[in-house]
């Protein structure tokens, strides 16, 4: 009976299928809109981050690019800037409280006195250094060194020692004892020449010729004259020079040549002038003694050590300095046996001159006399002198003593 009529249920099922496919998206849109409204009500979305605001912003400024991120509104809200915390104020104690420092931080009152003392000592040291430089510049020792190195041949070590001793002594004006330089060596090595150069330099820098005394034994105290009279005259002249130098606050120079000819009385007088018991103005003076005593010992020493210095070494070489110290000590011991005057002396030995040094003496003298200083002619004149020939080296027997006489014969 039912086979002839169509069934209604399949038709209803077929009609409900399209209704479900349409309603599902609508329901999703409705749920999404409700969710957005709910979030707006809870103020979870910041102003300007919603969909409407984005649309408004795009309408207001169409050229501005739109940025889309996949961050959820909750993550965007968590990135909101935090408020800065105010720093807590410093706790202030009431003014009525007593402020005390630990005992370890308390300064002693003596620290101020100590700082003042350090400042005074530092000022005095700086002032003393400036005075040393000023006193040394007065005597122009740099110019003296250049003049000695240029005018004296074959004695670089002796010239350096003389200038060093003068520089050390003349750095101050007040002294406990005078400076005694003893220049010793054989004849013709330049001792008298150095004495004349020193006298000329000190006359120029001191600007007073009365403060430089040159005493020649053969001229001021010839042999017939009594030694006691020479002693009194020497003492009177030295006293006058040192007294005038003390008044002008300068250091005088006293050059005594040919000391080997001095009698015992004059050596005793010189020794008495150097004693610390004398008046203070006798302590501020420079004595230069020129003597040939010990010349034989110097000659023997140079000839024995001639082979050691091959090839020639500079004056500052260690071996040369040691040999010169040994020679100076031997000379001082020898001179001390002659008279106690040389015990307090700074002995400066003058060595023998080599042939090249004699040639230099000839050229210098030829230029001074108006001749052309030709090298070949100077060597020819030097060949006429006598020499010690040791280990391939030639040392002049008389040094440059005969140079002036030979040049005068030209």
């Amino acid at each position: 009976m039912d086979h002839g009529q169509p069934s209604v249920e399949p038709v209803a099922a077929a009609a409900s299928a399209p209704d479900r496919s349409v309603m599902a998206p609508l329901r999703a849109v409705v749920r999404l809109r409700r969710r957005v409204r709910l979030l707006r009500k809870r103020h979870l979305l910041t102003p300007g981050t919603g969909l409407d605001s984005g649309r408004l912003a795009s309408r207001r400024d169409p050229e501005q690019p739109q940025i889309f991120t996949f961050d959820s509104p909750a993550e965007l809200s968590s990135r909101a800037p935090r408020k800065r915390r105010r720093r807590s104020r410093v706790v202030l104690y009431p003014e009525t409280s007593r402020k005390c420092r630990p005992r370890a931080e308390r300064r002693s009152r003596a620290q101020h006195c100590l700082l003042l003392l350090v400042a005074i000592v530092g000022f005095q040291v700086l002032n003393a250094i400036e005075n040393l430089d000023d006193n040394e510049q007065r005597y122009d020792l740099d110019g003296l060194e250049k003049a000695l190195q240029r005018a004296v041949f074959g004695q670089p070590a002796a010239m350096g020692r003389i200038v060093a001793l003068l520089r050390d002594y003349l750095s101050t004006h007040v002294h406990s004892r005078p400076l005694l330089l003893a220049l010793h060596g054989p004849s013709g090595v330049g001792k008298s020449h150095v004495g004349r150069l020193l006298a000329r330099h000190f006359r120029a820098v001191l600007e007073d010729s009365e403060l430089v005394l040159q005493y020649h034994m053969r001229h001021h105290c010839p042999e017939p004259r009594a030694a006691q009279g020479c002693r009194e005259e020497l003492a009177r002249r030295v006293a006058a020079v040192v007294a005038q130098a003390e008044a002008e606050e300068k250091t005088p120079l006293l050059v005594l040549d040919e000391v080997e000819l001095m009698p015992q009385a004059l050596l005793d007088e010189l020794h008495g002038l150097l004693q610390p018991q004398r008046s203070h103005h006798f302590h501020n003076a420079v004595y230069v003694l020129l003597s040939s005593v010990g010349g034989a010992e110097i000659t023997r020493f140079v000839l024995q050590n001639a082979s050691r210095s091959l090839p020639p070494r500079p004056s500052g070489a260690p071996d040369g300095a040691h040999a010169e110290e040994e020679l100076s000590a031997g000379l001082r011991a020898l001179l001390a046996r002659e008279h106690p005057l040389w015990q307090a002396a700074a002995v400066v030995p003058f060595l023998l001159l080599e042939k090249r040094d004699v040639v230099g003496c000839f050229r210098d003298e030829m230029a001074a006399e108006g001749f052309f200083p030709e090298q070949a002619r100077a060597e020819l004149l030097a060949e006429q002198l006598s020499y010690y020939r040791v280990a391939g080296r030639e040392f002049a027997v008389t040094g440059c003593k005969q140079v002036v006489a030979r040049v005068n014969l030209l």
Side-chain angles (χ1 to χ4, degrees):
M1 291 177 54
D2 295 333
H3 294 282
Q5 296 180 358
S7 178
V8 182
E9 293 179 357
V11 176
S16 62
D19 294 340
R20 293 179 180 177
S21 61
V22 175
M23 293 301 295
L26 292 177
R27 291 176 181 175
V29 171
V30 171
R31 286 195 301 269
L32 181 62
R33 190 162 186 173
R34 289 177 181 177
R35 184 177 180 85
V36 171
R37 288 180 180 179
L38 181 62
L39 292 175
R40 284 182 178 179
K41 289 180 180 182
R42 294 181 181 179
H43 301 283
L44 294 178
L45 289 177
T46 56
T49 57
L51 298 176
D52 297 339
S53 61
R55 294 174 183 175
L56 292 175
S58 61
R59 292 175 185 176
R60 292 174 186 174
D61 191 4
E63 295 181 358
Q64 184 177 2
Q66 298 181 2
I67 301 173
F68 176 78
T69 60
F70 292 94
D71 297 335
S72 62
E75 294 178 356
L76 291 174
S77 62
S78 62
R79 295 182 182 180
R82 298 180 181 180
K83 297 182 179 180
R84 296 182 179 179
R85 296 181 181 179
R86 294 182 180 181
R87 295 182 179 180
S88 59
R89 295 181 180 180
V90 180
V91 180
L92 300 178
Y93 295 95
E95 296 293 336
T96 56
S97 62
R98 185 177 180 182
K99 300 179 180 179
C100 298
R101 292 183 178 179
R103 294 184 178 180
E105 297 183 1
R106 290 183 180 178
R107 294 185 177 181
S108 175
R109 297 179 180 178
Q111 288 184 352
H112 301 285
C113 298
L114 181 60
L115 294 176
L116 180 61
L117 178 61
V118 170
I120 293 174
V121 171
F123 178 76
Q124 293 293 339
V125 170
L126 293 177
N127 191 20
I129 293 175
E130 292 181 358
N131 292 336
L132 291 179
D133 296 338
D134 296 342
N135 198 65
E136 184 177 335
Q137 291 177 0
R138 172 190 294 181
Y139 298 96
D140 189 19
L141 297 180
D142 294 335
L144 174 62
E145 184 177 10
K146 294 178 181 179
L148 292 177
Q149 296 289 355
R150 181 175 58 253
V152 181
F153 296 94
Q155 307 293 344
M159 298 304 101
R161 178 164 171 76
I162 290 173
V163 174
L165 291 171
L166 289 175
R167 195 184 300 276
D168 183 56
Y169 186 79
L170 296 177
S171 60
T172 58
H173 179 69
V174 181
H175 307 91
S176 60
R177 63 186 309 162
L179 174 62
L180 180 59
L181 297 177
L183 312 184
H184 292 262
S187 178
V189 294
K191 302 183 301 297
S192 300
H193 186 44
V194 171
R196 290 190 294 268
L197 292 175
L198 290 175
R200 184 190 309 170
H201 179 80
F202 272 78
R203 284 194 181 98
V205 297
L206 296 178
E207 299 178 353
D208 191 353
S209 60
E210 299 297 329
L211 298 182
V212 178
L213 174 62
Q214 288 182 278
Y215 190 90
H216 296 270
M217 184 59 194
R218 292 182 180 179
H219 176 71
H220 294 90
C221 187
E223 192 169 330
R225 188 176 179 183
Q228 186 63 27
C230 296
R231 178 176 183 174
E232 294 175 358
E233 180 187 0
L234 178 62
R236 184 173 61 255
R237 297 184 65 176
V238 171
V241 170
V242 296
Q244 184 177 353
E246 182 66 20
E248 299 181 10
E249 295 185 355
K250 297 179 181 178
T251 302
L253 177 70
L254 300 97
V255 181
L256 295 91
D257 201 353
E258 298 176 341
V259 180
E260 70 275 3
L261 302 178
M262 279 189 176
Q264 189 74 16
L266 266 69
L267 295 177
D268 294 340
E269 181 64 26
L270 286 175
H271 187 251
L273 294 173
L274 303 176
Q275 297 303 314
Q277 293 81 11
R278 299 297 295 264
S279 179
H280 66 278
H281 57 272
F282 283 93
H283 299 165
N284 186 32
V286 177
Y287 294 85
V288 181
L289 306 182
L290 310 177
S291 174
S292 60
V293 178
E297 284 73 13
I298 295 176
T299 301
R300 183 169 56 253
F301 179 85
V302 172
L303 296 179
Q304 289 178 354
N305 295 272
S307 60
R308 295 184 184 179
S309 56
L310 284 176
R313 295 186 177 91
S315 60
D319 295 344
H322 179 71
E324 290 173 6
E325 292 178 1
E326 181 182 352
L327 177 60
S328 300
L331 279 178
R332 186 178 292 105
L334 174 64
L335 296 172
R337 292 194 295 267
E338 297 288 337
H339 196 276
L341 171 66
W342 279 280
Q343 291 181 353
V347 179
V348 181
F350 278 56
L351 307 180
L352 294 177
L353 299 181
E354 296 190 46
K355 188 176 182 178
R356 64 172 180 271
D357 302 325
V358 177
V359 173
C361 292
F362 272 108
R363 296 188 61 185
D364 186 69
E365 185 64 23
M366 290 167 62
E369 294 295 332
F371 298 98
F372 181 74
E374 187 179 358
Q375 180 71 18
R377 194 172 187 181
E379 293 178 357
L380 183 60
L381 292 174
E383 289 289 345
Q384 301 175 9
L385 303 181
S386 302
Y387 296 93
Y388 299 108
R389 291 176 172 82
V390 180
R393 305 176 65 181
E394 295 179 339
F395 298 95
V397 176
T398 58
C400 293
K401 199 172 188 65
Q402 300 180 9
V403 169
V404 178
R406 298 281 181 176
V407 173
N408 292 335
L409 296 176
L410 296 178

